[in-house]
Amino acid sequence: MLPKYKRVLLKLSGESLMGSKDSFDPIDHRIIAQYAQEIKQIIEMGVQVAIVIGGGNIYRGMNEAETGIERAQGDYMGMLATVINGMAVQSGLEKAGMYTRLQSAIKMEQIAEPYIRRRAMRHLEKGRVVIFGAGTGNPYFTTDTAGSLRAIEIKADVILKGTRVDGIYSADPEKDPNATKYDKITFAECISKNLKVMDMTAFTLCMENNLPIVVFDMNKPGNLMSVVTGEKVGTLVSQ
Ligand code: UDP
């Protein structure tokens, strides 16, 4: 089977790495092992994979009123959290037999390469999975924005946003039983219908640079493969 996309950027939230609610462990190695198997399948098809991972399972800086920590300071803490997750994912992928590189937007030479766009693209050409840590390296952004930005920079064909739900719905499916799922939707429709796919900065970057987004359920085995081979899984947002 031929993949639909040659180079993808997979965006995973930090929370997706969390085990069950009653476990205090922010990183569940079984989930990472499962994701590694999914990723391995598409690597073996020749798809080039870059990953941006969030940090919400460890720390979220956004809300100064809640954290009591100045916003910018908290945001940097959040970025460090994404590096911890990136290291965990890197270990999991290597355990599953893949070659990986972790690049950080904040310099930490002992554990990650600095983010260098051309180098990242070279790694991808060689079949290495490149994990981008520390978000954009700037406070006041999210890892969704980091995902959109890096995807555009490395000329990925699509950003794959792995979530807990299987796509974009007309309303919140957990609250509204009449909510219907879109297989396909345009950027403009998302805005006019006020559907929150990503935060506005991330979404606008994709729209302005014509980078399609696929929102899909990363926890369903085989789904990543299905998305990459162009099967009707999740929701495709495009122009
Ligand atoms: N963050 C940031 N700049 C970035 C990316 C992330 O300041 O470019 C901070 C921000 O505080 C954010 C935290 O890192 O709350 C964790 O990222 P995010 O909330 O996007 O993670 P996710 O929700 O995907 O787990």
Side-chain angles (χ1 to χ4, degrees):
M1 220 185 316
L2 276 179
K4 179 178 176 190
Y5 307 109
K6 198 166 181 298
R7 179 174 292 171
V8 302
L9 188 134
L10 177 63
K11 165 70 202 345
L12 298 172
S13 75
E15 274 167 4
S16 70
L17 302 185
M18 257 182 348
S20 63
K21 286 222 170 69
D22 30 87
S23 131
F24 289 104
D25 193 353
I27 299 172
D28 186 331
H29 66 92
R30 289 162 299 189
I31 293 175
I32 292 184
Q34 186 207 318
Y35 287 176
Q37 287 313 319
E38 305 287 317
I39 294 164
K40 193 174 184 186
Q41 287 178 9
I42 65 168
I43 286 283
E44 283 171 350
M45 279 182 91
V47 177
Q48 298 177 11
V49 182
I51 302 176
V52 165
I53 177 122
N57 55 323
I58 301 172
Y59 197 82
R60 236 191 217 116
M62 305 275 190
N63 197 339
E64 188 172 330
E66 244 172 51
T67 60
I69 291 173
E70 190 189 358
R71 167 80 195 255
Q73 174 88 342
D75 279 345
Y76 278 113
M77 291 166 69
M79 286 183 256
L80 295 183
T82 73
V83 178
I84 295 178
N85 285 337
M87 292 171 76
V89 170
Q90 177 175 42
S91 295
L93 298 186
E94 284 180 346
K95 225 177 193 173
M98 282 165 275
Y99 296 97
T100 67
R101 291 291 187 275
L102 175 63
Q103 291 202 343
S104 172
I106 295 174
K107 267 198 199 161
M108 18 189 132
E109 284 154 22
Q110 282 78 1
I111 51 178
E113 291 180 358
Y115 170 63
I116 299 172
R117 185 181 76 98
R118 285 169 183 276
R119 205 166 184 189
M121 291 166 78
R122 188 76 191 113
H123 289 320
L124 292 169
E125 283 161 7
K126 289 185 175 169
R128 298 172 184 145
V129 178
V130 180
I131 303 161
F132 296 118
T136 63
N138 301 292
Y140 299 96
F141 289 99
T142 61
T143 50
D144 275 358
T145 302
S148 310
L149 175 64
R150 295 292 183 247
I152 295 161
E153 286 190 82
I154 63 167
K155 300 188 165 62
D157 301 311
V158 67
I159 176 163
L160 308 177
K161 187 174 155 75
T163 59
R164 286 182 307 152
V165 281
D166 61 349
I168 301 170
Y169 283 77
S170 56
D172 184 347
E174 282 166 11
K175 289 180 193 147
D176 185 346
N178 297 320
T180 51
K181 197 191 114 191
Y182 299 102
D183 290 334
K184 261 173 138 186
I185 191 163
T186 65
F187 289 109
E189 278 174 297
C190 287
I191 293 177
S192 68
K193 293 183 162 66
N194 197 22
L195 301 171
K196 296 205 168 50
V197 182
M198 289 176 169
D199 63 83
M200 220 44 210
T201 313
F203 186 81
T204 308
L205 257 180
C206 294
M207 182 168 70
E208 286 179 347
N209 293 281
N210 195 15
L211 174 75
I213 309 166
V214 176
V215 178
F216 73 107
D217 180 359
M218 180 69 191
N219 290 324
K220 189 165 168 233
N223 250 6
L224 181 62
M225 177 69 137
S226 301
V227 170
V228 163
T229 52
E231 277 173 47
K232 261 201 196 145
V233 164
T235 302
L236 170 68
V237 187
S238 60
Q239 261 182 1

